[in-house]
Amino acid sequence: MGSAELATYAAKKGLKSHGMNVGGSHSFPQGKVRYTPAWHSNSFPDGSYAGMPMGVVFEADGVSVYHAGDTALFSDMARIGDLGIDLALLPIGDNYTMGPEDAVEATLLIRPKVVVPIHYATFPVLVQDASGFKASVESRAGVSCLVMQPGDSTVVTG
């Protein structure tokens, strides 16, 4: 699954794909996928247009997970929150995505039960303090924050 453009690209490479677009949803055997807006650039390695950037809400077994992607903060995150998000994966890297302060504001709009910071500490320009974000989001939004390391796992319940 992916944007219509990405799915077409994958199909041309011989991969099975299912194209979708922002605002669309589809029920797969594993669960329901809904694509949301995401505000950032989006291109293939050769620089050609890769379709509209998107976040995704995945719903399965009574649990709803929102992966915001590389997005900036935008006010319609409140509408995504209206879906009843159990876990939100939000970028805090800054420079290419929203930074920690905007991610706290996004958490206030989305109102998830748990938030996980993503897309930080991968490049020198993306150095962020995940523990500082955790402290800020837990005190300002009253939302539990889980800072994960590569290889970590967790169980999400609805």
Side-chain angles (χ1 to χ4, degrees):
M1 73 188 143
S3 67
E5 294 83 358
L6 183 58
T8 298
Y9 178 83
K12 288 179 182 176
K13 300 287 185 184
L15 301 171
K16 184 178 176 183
S17 61
H18 180 97
M20 297 175 63
N21 213 333
V22 172
S25 65
H26 185 81
S27 291
F28 294 91
Q30 303 84 354
K32 183 178 179 180
V33 172
R34 175 190 314 257
Y35 279 117
T36 67
W39 294 101
H40 61 88
S41 58
N42 196 29
S43 62
F44 290 112
D46 67 2
S48 62
Y49 178 63
M52 182 79 137
M54 299 184 292
V56 62
V57 175
F58 181 71
E59 300 171 29
D61 300 326
V63 175
S64 182
V65 177
Y66 171 48
H67 190 297
D70 284 340
T71 195
L73 173 66
F74 59 98
S75 62
D76 278 352
M77 286 179 161
R79 302 294 296 154
I80 295 167
D82 290 346
L83 298 172
I85 303 299
D86 295 303
L87 174 69
L89 304 160
L90 299 179
I92 66 165
D94 218 354
N95 196 74
Y96 299 113
T97 69
M98 65 180 145
E101 298 83 13
D102 282 355
V104 171
E105 295 300 320
T107 303
L108 290 165
L109 293 171
I110 299 163
R111 309 170 312 277
K113 293 178 183 171
V114 178
V115 65
V116 173
I118 60 171
H119 297 184
Y120 68 97
T122 53
F123 301 108
V125 72
L126 302 182
V127 177
Q128 295 298 337
D129 178 14
S131 61
F133 170 74
K134 176 182 172 65
S136 182
V137 79
E138 287 181 347
S139 68
R140 288 195 50 219
V143 172
S144 176
C145 179
L146 180 60
V147 177
M148 302 183 75
Q149 301 301 317
D152 285 354
S153 64
T154 190
V155 174
V156 180
T157 58

